[in-house]
Amino acid sequence: MKRFYILIVSLLIASETNVFAQTIKVTTLDGGSVVTELTYGIKVNRGSSLRRTWVVLNDPRSPVQLKGVGVLTRYKSNGGYSYIPTGSLSAREAISAIEVRFLLFDVFGEHIKPLSGDEVTEILANKPFKVEEIGSWRAWESDVSALLTVVAFVGHVRTKTGTIWRYNSGAIEKELNKIRLKVTSGVLEPTKEK
């Protein structure tokens, strides 16, 4: 009976370890200046030399990989501030829907907010798809001013065959901790805007 319990405990530890042992490919990119231009020569963060960092987390098991993905900040005189996704993705097989998530962090490594972009469309295998297609989000001046780091990863994928792939939260959290971004409960789950 003792061997039976040891075997069960060993299997549980092994399966728990494998869930978090997955290798996430991390790519760090220059996301541009923290200065956001408004109208009439007015600029948010005027005089700052800081540059934003985009961190792309690609799970090799995902049917979709991100390339050069991040978030830009824009100001339109009639619409205020916006977060606009940029970059592209490529699918290994045809997909019917994708969700890309963005985690925004301020100049002190504190979490600002999560963003989520869904696109329900047919994306062909090995054909680049522009992330801009998933839309944009409203932003506030205080958040735009503080934004320094953007982390992007694939949240969910629905393949053309109906298979649903979901991100591994433990592996994503592990990578965020490695790059010293403060992760609290619920950070990975965005509030969807209507």
Side-chain angles (χ1 to χ4, degrees):
M1 195 63 135
K2 223 181 219 185
R3 276 191 251 165
F4 180 70
Y5 288 124
I6 291 170
L7 177 62
I8 288 175
V9 170
S10 296
L11 288 173
L12 287 172
I13 290 170
S15 66
E16 179 98 4
T17 304
N18 288 338
V19 169
F20 298 108
Q22 131 187 15
T23 304
I24 299 289
K25 184 179 178 209
V26 180
T27 306
T28 303
L29 306 161
D30 180 353
S33 173
V34 297
V35 176
T36 301
E37 293 195 31
L38 302 144
T39 54
Y40 306 111
I42 300 168
K43 298 177 181 180
V44 173
N45 296 338
R46 176 187 295 275
S48 176
S49 62
L50 288 175
R51 301 198 55 86
R52 291 194 173 121
T53 302
W54 294 344
V55 180
V56 180
L57 304 179
N58 275 310
D59 183 335
R61 292 187 260 188
S62 170
V64 173
Q65 300 297 298
L66 302 176
K67 184 176 180 183
V69 173
V71 169
L72 300 170
T73 56
R74 293 284 184 260
Y75 179 80
K76 294 182 182 174
S77 59
N78 62 346
Y81 296 93
S82 295
Y83 294 122
I84 301 169
T86 188
S88 66
L89 58 86
S90 181
R92 281 196 290 262
E93 61 182 288
I95 63 169
S96 298
I98 177 109
E99 177 202 27
V100 179
R101 293 190 180 180
F102 300 91
L103 306 177
L104 309 182
F105 293 87
D106 71 12
V107 293
F108 304 108
E110 299 281 342
H111 183 251
I112 297 173
K113 73 185 301 182
L115 302 172
S116 172
D118 299 331
E119 186 65 27
V120 180
T121 190
E122 303 305 313
I123 299 174
L124 301 175
N126 303 312
K127 294 282 186 180
F129 179 83
K130 290 185 178 186
V131 177
E132 290 89 347
E133 300 290 325
I134 66 174
S136 62
W137 305 270
R138 183 179 179 143
W140 302 103
E141 183 175 348
S142 58
D143 292 341
V144 167
S145 174
L147 179 63
L148 186 66
T149 305
V150 176
V151 177
F153 63 96
V154 174
H156 294 89
V157 177
R158 181 184 183 93
T159 67
K160 187 137 178 124
T161 62
T163 303
I164 302 208
W165 180 89
R166 178 175 165 44
Y167 75 100
N168 179 325
S169 61
I172 297 292
E173 287 177 11
K174 181 178 175 185
E175 291 304 324
L176 292 174
N177 286 324
K178 280 184 190 176
I179 56 177
R180 297 189 175 146
L181 292 173
K182 296 181 182 175
V183 182
T184 57
S185 178
V187 164
L188 302 179
E189 298 298 326
T191 304
K192 303 241 179 173
E193 290 187 22
K194 302 277 183 203

